[in-house]
Amino acid sequence: MSSYNDPFHIITKPIGAICNLDCEYCYYLEKEDLYPGTQSFKMTEEVLETYTRQYIYAQPADAAEVNFTWQGGEPTLMGLPFFRKALALQKKYARGGMRVTNSFQTNGTRLDDDWARFFSDNEFLVGISIDGPEDLHDEFRPDKKGYGSFHQVMEGVELLKKHGVLFNTLTCVQSSNSSYPVKIYRFLKEIGSTHLQFIPIVEPQPDGGVSYRSVNPKKYGTFLCGVFNEWLKRKDVGRIYVQDFDVALSILAGYPSPICIHAETCGHAMAIEHNGDIYSCDHFVFPEYKLGNIMEEQAKVMHESARQQEFGLDKRDKLPAYCRECDFLKVCNGGCPKDRIIDTPDGEPGLNYLCQGYKTFYAHSYPVFKKMVKCLELGYPPSEYKNV
């Protein structure tokens, strides 16, 4: 799957699962239970420095750039001094000519002028979690007291815009908002987002089903189709970037998937917890997927370990025959392993819960994407797809 010189990525959880919101579908809040008796979930300076040094030094010798991704929980709970220290350490350990970048995923509710100015001055890419207009966002994203968080998030968005911070939006697609693709797309455009991510909520239950918050597979497909139609109708190709569309176009144009979800194999995106524990993936932060701790072992060694190699190859090797024979295998690759929780029509395990949705979307969008690929081959922008 990988060689010693392959780059890899680590998602950083400096505050662990601690958050000021109580989003009902959040898969990470429960990770606090992995560390019973812990008094503080804040990453120490010692762990931060060890991690920064290891992560930078582990990249290939010719790597021109390395990216630090900060998530939570809610990373702003670490406070600005922690991130000022992080930047100082990045500068200390960066190789000559290496560019160090930072991305920061936040719920936006704790932002103020100091945070926004810091992001702007240091060219952070900020991801804002928002599920649509107030009525849709507040359905499953309350604060600790049970009140909606929408207005606080929007105050944060306005601060980012005021200070010229580059931001994108992450929208969870769940049972309550999946019927409103156009409404959500237009809203995200109105608040100034030009890069949109749509994350399907799938919550497996002990009885083999999923939670009531989980998006229906077919509705997920029609949601993506609705956004796609509006994207084309409003002539937003080349102006508004939707991650699902970028990934499909990239693969059909002959490039590797830019994200692990639709890559043939995975294992190049690990996660680090507040105390230095490294896990195979931030969706697999469970004891059985713990690879080690950076205070005891090198991150590069953990990435290249047989366990992590097997984890990454299983994404491809454990695909059911139903997937291998699918017309959309090239662009789907079975989706994320975390969602492979149902059986195929033939009774074989390992089918992605979202399969029906993926098929609906790809069947609908393929003809247009193929025209866009033709544009690229002819040297035209994809927005000229109607003319080829």
Side-chain angles (χ1 to χ4, degrees):
M1 178 187 68
S2 60
S3 69
Y4 186 78
N5 290 318
D6 277 345
F8 65 96
H9 188 65
I10 299 178
I11 294 174
T12 318
K13 307 280 190 174
I15 194 70
I18 306 303
C19 187
N20 63 309
L21 295 187
D22 202 15
C23 302
E24 292 185 31
Y25 53 62
C26 181
Y27 69 93
Y28 213 79
L29 292 179
E30 66 181 26
K31 304 306 177 185
E32 184 178 349
D33 297 339
L34 291 173
Y35 302 96
T38 299
Q39 298 299 312
S40 173
F41 282 83
K42 290 189 173 184
M43 182 178 283
T44 65
E45 287 192 10
E46 182 183 13
V47 173
L48 175 64
E49 181 159 11
T50 301
Y51 163 54
T52 303
R53 181 181 67 250
Q54 284 194 26
Y55 185 42
I56 290 175
Y57 286 2
Q59 301 303 319
D62 59 351
E65 181 176 317
V66 60
N67 175 260
F68 284 79
T69 299
W70 307 95
Q71 293 188 7
E74 172 49 43
T76 58
L77 292 170
M78 289 298 298
L80 271 172
F82 174 86
F83 290 100
R84 292 193 178 103
K85 179 65 176 180
L87 292 183
L89 290 171
Q90 291 171 8
K91 184 176 181 180
K92 176 180 178 179
Y93 290 109
R95 304 176 194 143
M98 172 182 276
R99 181 169 182 254
V100 181
T101 60
N102 289 271
S103 55
F104 194 99
Q105 188 65 41
T106 175
N107 59 43
T109 62
R110 302 186 72 257
L111 300 182
D112 57 21
D113 281 300
D114 289 340
W115 274 106
R117 192 177 298 112
F118 172 80
F119 290 144
S120 178
D121 291 345
N122 296 287
E123 300 182 320
F124 272 57
L125 171 62
V126 176
I128 290 287
S129 298
I130 187 165
D131 284 0
E134 183 175 3
D135 59 326
L136 300 178
H137 174 87
D138 282 347
E139 180 71 18
F140 295 130
R141 295 187 64 84
D143 62 20
K144 294 296 185 182
K145 295 182 179 180
Y147 296 111
S149 59
F150 176 80
H151 291 291
Q152 295 167 285
V153 177
M154 287 307 302
E155 289 174 4
V157 170
E158 292 305 315
L159 283 167
L160 296 179
K161 291 158 68 173
K162 171 185 173 182
H163 289 274
V165 178
L166 182 63
F167 75 94
N168 59 26
T169 48
L170 187 155
T171 300
C172 291
V173 183
Q174 20 81 353
S175 58
S176 71
N177 69 356
S178 56
S179 296
Y180 305 97
V182 174
K183 179 179 179 179
I184 291 175
Y185 180 77
R186 290 179 179 177
F187 168 77
L188 295 175
K189 281 181 58 179
E190 287 170 3
I191 68 172
S193 179
T194 57
H195 289 75
L196 284 54
Q197 297 180 54
F198 294 109
I199 309 300
I201 294 299
V202 181
E203 296 181 306
Q205 300 298 293
D207 63 2
V210 297
S211 74
Y212 73 94
R213 294 177 292 263
S214 299
V215 64
N216 174 276
K218 185 175 181 180
K219 290 293 286 292
Y220 176 60
T222 56
F223 178 90
L224 290 179
C225 290
V227 172
F228 184 76
N229 292 344
E230 183 72 4
W231 183 62
L232 298 180
K233 179 180 178 181
R234 299 297 173 182
K235 299 181 179 180
D236 286 335
V237 182
R239 299 192 305 120
I240 303 294
Y241 298 89
V242 180
Q243 186 180 70
D244 302 272
F245 307 165
D246 291 344
V247 171
L249 180 59
S250 178
I251 295 173
L252 290 173
Y255 298 99
S257 171
I259 62 172
C260 56
I261 294 172
H262 296 299
E264 185 179 27
T265 61
C266 60
H268 292 302
M270 302 184 296
I272 184 170
E273 256 288 344
H274 70 288
N275 67 341
D277 285 346
I278 297 282
Y279 293 86
S280 291
C281 168
D282 86 310
H283 285 287
F284 287 84
V285 177
F286 301 103
E288 60 267 35
Y289 293 99
K290 179 182 169 183
L291 299 172
N293 187 289
I294 59 160
M295 306 305 288
E296 303 168 355
E297 191 171 7
Q298 294 290 318
K300 186 66 175 179
V301 173
M302 288 183 266
H303 173 245
E304 297 297 339
S305 68
R307 287 177 61 197
Q308 187 66 357
Q309 294 278 318
E310 182 180 6
F311 174 83
L313 290 171
D314 278 350
K315 184 176 192 291
R316 177 195 66 198
D317 296 344
K318 291 189 176 181
L319 271 178
Y322 184 78
C323 290
R324 299 177 191 277
E325 298 164 1
C326 179
D327 292 338
F328 302 121
L329 174 62
K330 176 182 178 181
V331 73
C332 175
N333 280 308
C336 183
K338 74 178 178 64
D339 296 327
R340 296 180 182 178
I341 60 174
I342 62 174
D343 294 342
T344 70
D346 298 327
E348 187 178 1
L351 182 64
N352 197 301
Y353 169 83
L354 298 166
C355 176
Q356 185 180 10
Y358 285 138
K359 284 187 172 183
T360 297
F361 171 62
Y362 293 137
H364 178 75
S365 61
Y366 249 44
V368 175
F369 282 134
K370 287 180 178 179
K371 289 183 178 181
M372 291 182 176
V373 170
K374 188 66 175 180
C375 285
L376 294 172
E377 292 173 348
L378 295 173
Y380 301 127
S383 57
E384 295 295 315
Y385 70 94
K386 287 186 177 181
N387 299 321
V388 298

